[in-house]
Amino acid sequence: MIKKMNNLKTGIKVLSDRVICNTYRRLPIVFMRGRGCTLWDDQGRKYTDFLAGIAVCNLGHSCPEVASALCRQADTLFHVSNLYYTVPQTELADWLVSHSFADRVFFANSGAEANEAAIKLARKFFFDQGKTGRCRIIAMENSFHGRTFAALSATGQKKVREGFEPILEGFDFVPFNDVDAVRQRLDDTICAVLIEPIQGEGGVRAPDPGYLESLRDLCDETGTILIFDEIQTGIGRTGKFFAYEHFNVTPDIMTLAKALGNGLPIGAMLATEKVASAFSPGAHASTFGGTPVITAAALEVVRLMEREQVVERCARIGAYFKSRLEWLAQRHEIIEDVRGMGLMLGMRLSVPGASFVSACLEKGFIINCIQENILRFVPPLIITEEEIDSLIECLDGLFSNPSICGE
Ligand SMILES: *Cc1c(COP(=O)(O)O)cnc(C)c1O
């Protein structure tokens, strides 16, 4: 019986590779169950999760409070059209508005969709003023904004865009952390500057001191809309609820997704009243955006984070984690730097990182590698010091092992 079950489960990999589009390079594991920072595979093996679905499950896996909010709403009303009012959608928007710079929210189903809404809104804002030529957007090299066409067109990474030309027109790329490049590019064709306050997929790259403030000033001087993509940095990840709170700036538009639903699909675009006023009935829409069953769960996510002071905890534990990574960096020459804020951390190696990801997995730790040689750590915000210590011990062993280090 057990043998038969194991065969069935190993069969899943084979079946999946046959019936699912081959767009993901998957590691050979079938996950069955998760709780807090722990995941279990089909062999009953246990893993500590330092990836959290790529900065998604900030409150850990199968968070009981979110699960009951979801079940309660599922038992009451799944969905009605956005042609009507619903309570959970309204309450979530009200929570977001009262905890941020924003006045209004548009709900979507993913990060890319939230960015689509932001890009459409920025263009519509100037169109409504008769400035139809003011439609271009300055975005950053090495940015990541998603895979739909406008989000893709705003993404400054050749490997993401290749094969899909012609992409959307109207995006200009400048290097991250280069104020002058933005200043030189700004003119009356530019409607918005779009930036991740801390670049995620591009390599966990934080802004230089004063950089975002200078961008805000430039946008104010020219009447340009400043858009922060906080899809990865938002919802507590960096040790503030929104990353912009670390800096002395607020954007005009901000996009959220990833951790907002703690694993359920939701995206949101937040904007000031002034900018949001360009969206009138019929201008934009989504069938599922803000649907009751998902927004009820997301509302519990943000309320629980506030109740349990998860963000303050993230700042504290993130500083501890970073200090432990820096301790590793002093011991091992292979580590070139440690980067990031809160629990959005990275470590650049002088060699490719893939073998370390596999070796960690063997030892029961889920980490990930971006840009070939940057190990990324984005665990649930409820990760403990003990769990961090055991990962550090594991990494210390791996970095001391010449065969894994490729020496
Ligand atoms: C993940 C991510 C996106 C895309 O989100 P999807 O939900 O996958 O569409 C966009 N921007 C940033 C900064 C991200 O990290």
Side-chain angles (χ1 to χ4, degrees), residues 196-235:
E196 300 153 83
I198 300 170
Q199 286 193 328
E201 303 309 300
V204 189
R205 186 144 182 231
D208 291 339
Y211 172 61
L212 295 175
E213 292 84 340
S214 301
L215 288 190
R216 178 72 271 179
D217 290 343
L218 284 175
C219 286
D220 286 342
E221 285 161 25
T222 52
T224 308
I225 293 169
L226 182 60
I227 308 173
F228 282 174
D229 177 342
E230 291 232 26
I231 288 163
Q232 189 160 149
T233 55
I235 325 294

Side-chain angles (χ1 to χ4, degrees), residues 324-400:
R324 296 305 320 267
L325 292 173
E326 279 160 353
W327 175 80
L328 277 181
Q330 283 179 350
R331 287 167 57 81
H332 302 283
E333 275 197 0
I334 197 171
I335 304 172
E336 295 197 327
D337 68 37
V338 171
R339 45 180 68 201
M341 299 171 82
L343 282 166
M344 183 172 174
L345 297 171
M347 193 157 75
R348 196 176 73 211
L349 307 181
S350 57
V351 299
S355 57
F356 295 95
V357 174
S358 307
C360 279
L361 203 58
E362 292 268 299
K363 298 205 177 298
F365 296 97
I366 298 165
I367 64 167
N368 136 280
C369 177
I370 47 176
Q371 305 290 325
E372 304 286 319
N373 65 342
I374 300 171
L375 299 185
R376 171 166 59 175
F377 311 98
V378 283
L381 308 186
I382 58 170
I383 196 92
T384 63
E385 294 191 357
E386 292 70 37
E387 285 164 326
I388 289 168
D389 288 344
S390 49
L391 174 72
I392 296 291
E393 197 183 313
C394 166
L395 288 171
D396 194 33
L398 297 180
F399 291 136
S400 308

Side-chain angles (χ1 to χ4, degrees), residues 44 52 72 171-172 176 178 205 207 222 250 269 277 300 346 350 356 360 364 371 375 387:
R72 252 181 287 126
F171 294 86
D172 300 308
F176 189 80
D178 186 340
R205 186 144 182 231
T222 52
T250 59
M269 183 211 61
S277 65
E300 181 55 27
S350 57
F356 295 95
C360 279
Q371 305 290 325
L375 299 185
E387 285 164 326

